[in-house]
Amino acid sequence: MQITNVEESNNFTAARSIQKKIGAFLVGGSSFDAWLTTTTAQVAQVLLTLPHTIAQMGITSGIGFQLLYGALGCWSCYITMCLYMDYVKILERHNARRKSHIIQWYEVLNGLLGRWWRAPGLLFNCALLVSTATIQLIACANTIWYMNNSLDKRTWTYIFGALCFLTVLIPTARNYRLWVFFGIFMTTYTAWYFTIASIFFEKHDKHVQHSAPGSTIQYFSGATNILFTFGNHALTLEIAEAMDTPRKYKTTNVYAILYTFTLTLPSAVSVYWRFGDQMLDHPNALAVFSPSKFKNVAIILMLTHQFIEFAALVVPVFAMWEKLLGIHCSQNYTLKCVARMPIVLGICFLAIMLPFFGSINSVVGATLSSIGIYILPCLAFMVIRQHKESRENAVEQPPFWIKSWVGVYCINLGLVIWVGIIGIGFGSWASMHNLMQKVEKFGWFAKCFQC
């Protein structure tokens, strides 16, 4: 009997050891895990559209706007995290912080400014996440078609839409370490495949032309696609909440943006340099590369990455939906999985209705990213910090390179004015005009867009 008990104890210890090792690959809350998730979320199908964007804007403007919006995205993240830490401080002071509860942006606005700010926070945050997830699904169908065109893109959307239902099984953003690690490798390979193939292997056309920008509409459509590229796609707090030390996230995000530049700038510029104005007709850069095993690898990796990012985007939407239904803190895993299915179904419907890869990115950037990611946090910050008590009790004081609240206000105001005019104003006009042209040409629920 004693020997049996010892054997059972050893078996239990071995099982726990294996479980911990598996968990180390799947669950993580370090700054490195946050960097992986942020970089994976930041760069996905935009790698495929940025050469088209450079062809719309020109190399100089394309590079300049990437650097500008990367910096503005970092600042917006910093402002969002400042407000988040103030809200967490209030919760902890009242002993109201629940470990199983994921804090989201609209809750921060509600806690600091009230329900009138909660509504736009919830609306733009949720709409941006759903729209970006829809774009990932559209990108999957568009990308696989360049490897296997025996099926039309709408049929491929059905197939990948069915696979997306597997995302309802993901518990939280912490259960994502292994997948985002793969995601970094996938985007890095694709970006450098574009760069190396464009410079060394693709046939050079002596008559290639680089006439960008061709029109005002093209220019501002491209600018809003870059605006959409940066800003974490409304995932800032969800990623920070998955960290063991959320306060470090504002620095982690800067490193993620810097790494993003090493992928987006060389690939977009080199592809446009090689193919020139031809990229205006191809929102997906894969369309212009010659068939090869390296191209097929890039396609497979991008498909996998887009699926991974789809999951990263819908998990926060699942959390919002569960809170609405009152089951977010429930321990009934099966109930949560079933309740999440209508979200995925709605995203599939949108992807089938609007399969306009590239154009839809600019619309989302102009109408949702502009307000939800850039303007709303800065406005909320300025309203909250207008009170002396709020400034004195703020968890985060002005950065050392600004030193004063006046400087912080000036940057916030400049960001709001710039994004309001260039992003929402000119960007909405150009991107909606471009989208309506696609709808008139191909119609809603197009069977095979640009086949």
Side-chain angles (χ1 to χ4, degrees), residues 354-369:
L354 292 167
F356 308 117
F357 184 71
S359 300
I360 196 72
N361 298 36
S362 296
V363 173
V364 172
T367 57
L368 297 176
S369 293

Side-chain angles (χ1 to χ4, degrees), residues 102-146:
I102 300 172
I103 297 174
Q104 296 183 293
W105 173 234
Y106 72 92
E107 294 173 315
V108 173
L109 291 176
N110 182 59
L112 298 178
L113 290 169
R115 60 190 180 93
W116 293 109
W117 283 80
R118 179 182 185 272
L122 177 60
L123 173 64
F124 284 101
N125 196 299
C126 184
L128 180 56
L129 288 168
V130 169
S131 299
T132 310
T134 302
I135 290 171
Q136 303 311 313
L137 181 52
I138 294 171
C140 286
N142 196 280
T143 300
I144 189 62
W145 190 82
Y146 292 108

Side-chain angles (χ1 to χ4, degrees), residues 14 135 143 149 198 233 256 435:
I135 290 171
T143 300
N149 59 8
S198 297
H233 308 313
L435 179 63

Side-chain angles (χ1 to χ4, degrees), residues 86-101 103:
D86 285 353
Y87 179 64
V88 170
K89 181 181 178 181
I90 293 173
L91 291 179
E92 291 177 346
R93 187 169 65 234
H94 293 88
N95 198 27
R97 185 81 192 271
R98 289 180 293 173
K99 188 176 180 180
S100 61
H101 183 90
I103 297 174

Side-chain angles (χ1 to χ4, degrees), residues 355-394:
F356 308 117
F357 184 71
S359 300
I360 196 72
N361 298 36
S362 296
V363 173
V364 172
T367 57
L368 297 176
S369 293
S370 294
I371 299 176
I373 299 299
Y374 298 92
I375 293 179
L376 195 59
C378 291
L379 285 178
F381 186 91
M382 288 190 287
V383 171
I384 292 171
R385 292 292 188 264
Q386 67 179 318
H387 304 292
K388 183 179 180 180
E389 182 182 359
S390 175
R391 295 194 295 271
E392 292 175 348
N393 296 328

Side-chain angles (χ1 to χ4, degrees), residues 72-385:
L72 294 184
C74 289
W75 179 259
S76 174
C77 174
Y78 167 75
I79 293 298
T80 302
M81 288 303 300
C82 287
L83 299 180
Y84 162 80
M85 288 184 287
D86 285 353
Y87 179 64
V88 170
K89 181 181 178 181
I90 293 173
L91 291 179
E92 291 177 346
R93 187 169 65 234
H94 293 88
N95 198 27
R97 185 81 192 271
R98 289 180 293 173
K99 188 176 180 180
S100 61
H101 183 90
I102 300 172
I103 297 174
Q104 296 183 293
W105 173 234
Y106 72 92
E107 294 173 315
V108 173
L109 291 176
N110 182 59
L112 298 178
L113 290 169
R115 60 190 180 93
W116 293 109
W117 283 80
R118 179 182 185 272
L122 177 60
L123 173 64
F124 284 101
N125 196 299
C126 184
L128 180 56
L129 288 168
V130 169
S131 299
T132 310
T134 302
I135 290 171
Q136 303 311 313
L137 181 52
I138 294 171
C140 286
N142 196 280
T143 300
I144 189 62
W145 190 82
Y146 292 108
M147 184 175 176
N148 184 343
N149 59 8
S150 60
L151 300 176
D152 59 76
K153 293 179 182 178
R154 187 166 64 188
T155 302
W156 280 118
T157 305
Y158 292 145
I159 293 172
F160 282 100
L163 292 174
C164 285
F165 276 91
L166 294 173
T167 59
V168 304
L169 302 175
I170 300 172
T172 69
R174 277 180 174 263
N175 304 86
Y176 224 57
R177 165 182 278 184
L178 181 63
W179 313 117
V180 294
F181 184 82
F182 287 152
I184 294 292
F185 166 75
M186 294 164 186
T187 51
T188 301
Y189 173 91
T190 304
W192 286 104
Y193 161 71
F194 281 170
T195 303
I196 295 171
S198 297
I199 296 174
F200 298 107
F201 298 108
E202 290 297 321
K203 184 179 179 180
H204 181 61
D205 183 2
K206 295 180 180 179
H207 304 291
V208 65
Q209 295 183 352
H210 302 88
S211 59
S215 70
T216 306
I217 290 176
Q218 289 180 354
Y219 188 88
F220 286 108
S221 292
T224 51
N225 185 42
I226 296 176
L227 180 71
F228 169 74
T229 301
F230 298 96
N232 289 351
H233 308 313
L235 285 173
T236 298
L237 295 192
E238 283 76 11
I239 298 174
E241 276 282 276
M243 294 179 67
D244 299 324
T245 312
R247 188 170 183 173
K248 294 181 179 180
Y249 181 69
K250 57 186 182 295
T251 305
T252 302
N253 181 68
V254 173
Y255 292 127
I257 295 294
L258 292 175
Y259 184 77
T260 298
F261 286 147
T262 69
L263 303 182
T264 59
L265 290 173
S267 61
V269 171
S270 59
V271 173
Y272 177 61
W273 170 78
R274 173 61 72 190
F275 298 100
D277 293 345
Q278 183 182 348
M279 294 309 304
L280 288 171
D281 300 321
H282 299 289
N284 191 330
L286 288 167
V288 298
F289 285 90
S290 304
S292 69
K293 59 183 179 181
F294 297 105
K295 178 180 177 179
N296 289 340
V297 170
I299 290 173
I300 293 170
L301 293 179
M302 284 307 298
L303 283 172
T304 309
H305 184 276
Q306 286 155 1
F307 182 79
I308 291 172
E309 183 165 1
F310 178 93
L313 292 162
V314 295
V315 167
V317 181
F318 292 157
M320 297 179 197
W321 181 244
E322 290 164 7
K323 291 172 185 177
L324 179 65
L325 299 178
I327 61 172
H328 180 57
C329 294
S330 171
Q331 299 300 314
N332 192 330
Y333 177 69
T334 304
L335 176 63
K336 286 185 175 183
C337 291
V338 173
R340 293 171 170 184
M341 289 184 178
I343 302 296
V344 181
L345 188 63
I347 291 173
C348 292
F349 175 80
L350 291 174
I352 295 168
M353 182 177 71
L354 292 167
F356 308 117
F357 184 71
S359 300
I360 196 72
N361 298 36
S362 296
V363 173
V364 172
T367 57
L368 297 176
S369 293
S370 294
I371 299 176
I373 299 299
Y374 298 92
I375 293 179
L376 195 59
C378 291
L379 285 178
F381 186 91
M382 288 190 287
V383 171
I384 292 171
R385 292 292 188 264

